[in-house]
Every structure is written in structure tokens, then in C-alpha cells.
Amino acid sequence: MLARFTSRLPWLRYASTRAGVGHSGHLSQENLRNAHDAPDVQPGLSHKAKYLFDLNGFLVLRGALSLEEVAAANAAIDVHEKDELHERTGQLRTSGLYGRQSIALAGDGTTGRKDMGGLLGWKDPHCSPFRNILCHPSIAPALIELLGVGYRLDHSPLMIAQEKGSEGHTLHGGAVTESGEPAWTLAYQFQHGKMRNQLLTVGMQLSDAGPGDGGFCVVPGSHKSNFPIPPALADLADPELSEFVYQPELYPGDVLLFTEAVLHGTLPWTASHQRRTVIYRFAPAGSAYGRGYLPEWPASTLEGMSDAQRAVLEAPYHPRMNRAYINPEGSHVPAKAREAFKIEFDEKVFGSRFF
């Protein structure tokens, strides 16, 4: 079923995974001093998709998930919604900070956003639609392109729901902090022909978000800004600034990718149906923002996971340190064995296999 859908996705481009192929002028792996620095995987976004992400700071993968996958995810949420969906009220409201509520983002002034966690730890089959996102063959090539080989889950997935009249969320993220310092932990960089994101959000769209419905919004290109956000833009209080805020149309089965370095937020929900989006945040192999993996992910999250899914949940460390990873097809690639003589020496020096 997945193969049938991935073959129709124009943003997807699989490159060769054989060593030395597809890198004109590059040394093949057997000639590298340290083969661990060149995992046998190549990223797979089309030139058009890479251009759009670099230009805007976000990208929509249209139809990345089948309607069957969307239906399974919604059915699982329906089962857990009554007891596990929590509304944000009082100080938890997202339409303002420190008691200063944005008029433009307040919605009806009463209805709050609703959040649901724990999706990866639900009993099978309810966990499956959400675990599959970790190494989905329609999404993995983009994550490898934007985060590098060995990408990892940084935050526990979160289902966000909005009812009609629900408040929005002040614009946040961005390349520069409010104090004017570079936001290194959210940084977007382009170097040596490669894009890298310190924190990348993946949104699994489970309901319509058509024109004017509200939901996710973004200031395209702001991931390259060099100045702090004007407060009036964060609150959508200045019409001259608000005209640069864009709400992309999203439909069930679409997957939204955006760098946390791009300025983004949520518009009040105006549609009569419930908004449903499941967000994941991923990081490069050696980076971390969250700490949900400490001391380890919950046992319910790990129980029954495939080797590929467990590889995405590994703690942050570089692939050369015997890290398993995911290839563009979403399959598990075992860690490359470290040379025995190096392990033996490190055990003498540090008393352990890894330092």
C-alpha cells in the first residue's frame, strides 16, 4: 500500500545508496580515512522541494499519507479523546503571554486549544499510525535531507485539536531571540550545498484546514531574519505586519515540515469541524532540545517497536559512534561495527567502550 502512494509523490527523489555512486568527484567509502563519517545513505528531495524549503522555511508534502492511514489515526484518537484530550485554560492559554491576550488570536475568548500526548505508547493497533511516522518511506527521505543521517525524535508527539472559536497561538520560534541573540538551538543553516535544521517539526494532518479555517500559520522566509520579531507581529496587532502571515491549506494525508527557526503560530479556528494535527519534532543525530529520552523513553513507548522505530528514538550521539539509522525507504540500517583495536584501547583509557 505504501509503495503505491510513494510512487506518486513528486517531491520525493530517491538517490543511489551504493557507496561511491551519485557523488561525482567524491571519494568512495572504501577510500575514506573514516568510513563512519559517510553512512551509506543519500537524501531524497527534489530540486523543487529543496528550493521551496530553503526559500520559505516550510514545505507541504501533499498526500504523503494514504487515506487508510489517516482513518486509522483518527479512529485511534476517537478511542482516547474522552479521557486524554486536555483543554488549555487560564494561564495555559496560548493566545497571549503574561496575561496580555492578543485580540486577534483570542478566538471567542473562552475556548482553548486542546492537547493529547502518549500516542506512541497506546496499545496496538492504536499506536501504529503514529509510530509509523518515525520512519515512514514518504517522509524519511525529507528528514534525512533536512536533518542528516541518523535523525532522531526530540519531543514526544503531540496531537493538537481546535474546536470552532478556539484561540490561536502567538507567533514564536524564529532565528533570533527577543533579546536579539541568535537562536542557536533552533538554527537553520545552509553550508556546502546542504540544509541543516537544529529542530524540525513534522505535522501529520488529520482534518481539513482550508482557506480561512485557521490553524497553522507562518511568516515565510523568516528563518533567515537577522532581527528580533516586533511584538506587534507576535500578537497580530499591526495590520501592516500581519499581511505577511500566511496560512497554508492543509488536508488529510498532507504532512507539513517546518524549521523551528521560521516564525510560526496558530490562527483561531473558524471551521465547524475539529482541527486535528499531530506534531513531531526531530533533531540531528548529535543534537537535543528536549529531554523526554532521559533516563529513557517510557516503557510503553518502546514496547513492541521495530528496530527502525527504536533507532529513531536513540539518545543523541553521532553515527560514527555505532549508531543505527534509517535509510530513505524507512528501513533499519544496523550500526557499523567500530574497529576492535579502538574499542580495546578506549576500554583501557576510559573503562568503557564509548567515551
Side-chain angles (χ1 to χ4, degrees), residues 20 39 92 111 151 174 178 191 206 217 238 260 292 299 318 328 333 345:
L92 293 172
T111 307
Y151 70 83
E178 288 184 278
Q191 288 183 299
L206 299 179
C217 65
D238 184 338
E260 285 286 331
H318 196 278
V333 180
F345 185 73

Side-chain angles (χ1 to χ4, degrees), residues 14-93:
Y14 286 108
S16 171
T17 58
R18 289 185 290 123
V21 176
H23 284 274
S24 177
H26 288 200
L27 291 172
S28 61
Q29 283 193 329
E30 58 267 24
N31 294 322
L32 293 174
R33 292 184 182 181
N34 195 333
H36 290 86
D37 285 339
D40 197 14
V41 166
Q42 302 303 326
L45 280 182
S46 67
H47 176 79
K48 175 183 175 181
K50 288 188 285 188
Y51 176 83
L52 290 174
F53 188 92
D54 180 61
L55 176 70
N56 293 314
F58 73 94
L59 178 69
V60 179
L61 309 182
R62 298 290 181 192
L65 305 177
S66 69
L67 295 181
E68 292 89 342
E69 290 174 293
V70 172
N74 276 319
I77 291 170
D78 289 342
V79 171
H80 293 265
E81 182 176 14
K82 180 179 178 181
D83 297 325
E84 300 179 38
L85 186 61
H86 305 283
E87 184 175 357
R88 288 176 169 267
T89 60
Q91 292 182 322
L92 293 172
R93 285 178 62 82

Side-chain angles (χ1 to χ4, degrees), residues 173-256:
V176 183
T177 68
E178 288 184 278
S179 64
E181 296 295 318
W184 298 117
T185 53
L186 308 179
Y188 168 84
Q189 292 181 307
F190 186 94
Q191 288 183 299
H192 308 297
K194 299 286 186 180
M195 292 181 284
R196 282 294 176 267
N197 299 269
Q198 282 297 105
L199 198 59
L200 183 81
T201 296
V202 173
M204 179 188 192
Q205 192 67 24
L206 299 179
S207 64
D208 289 345
D213 284 351
F216 175 80
C217 65
V218 63
V219 178
S222 55
H223 59 311
K224 299 179 181 179
S225 176
N226 294 298
F227 294 95
I229 175 178
L233 176 55
D235 293 333
L236 298 190
D238 184 338
E240 188 176 353
L241 294 172
S242 298
E243 67 175 289
F244 295 99
V245 177
Y246 171 66
Q247 181 227 312
E249 297 178 31
L250 299 168
Y251 298 100
D254 290 346
V255 169
L256 170 71

Side-chain angles (χ1 to χ4, degrees), residues 220-300:
S222 55
H223 59 311
K224 299 179 181 179
S225 176
N226 294 298
F227 294 95
I229 175 178
L233 176 55
D235 293 333
L236 298 190
D238 184 338
E240 188 176 353
L241 294 172
S242 298
E243 67 175 289
F244 295 99
V245 177
Y246 171 66
Q247 181 227 312
E249 297 178 31
L250 299 168
Y251 298 100
D254 290 346
V255 169
L256 170 71
L257 311 175
F258 64 90
T259 173
E260 285 286 331
V262 77
L263 194 64
H264 61 281
T266 309
L267 297 177
W269 191 247
T270 64
S272 58
H273 64 275
Q274 185 187 65
R275 177 199 177 202
R276 283 186 178 180
T277 303
V278 181
I279 62 170
Y280 299 69
R281 292 188 180 94
F282 293 93
S287 299
Y289 187 100
R291 52 181 293 177
Y293 63 92
L294 294 174
E296 62 180 1
W297 294 103
S300 60

Side-chain angles (χ1 to χ4, degrees), residues 152-157 288-299 301-302 313-316:
R152 54 175 295 275
L153 183 69
D154 191 78
H155 289 44
S156 296
Y289 187 100
R291 52 181 293 177
Y293 63 92
L294 294 174
E296 62 180 1
W297 294 103
T301 294
L302 299 172
L313 266 66
E314 279 287 305

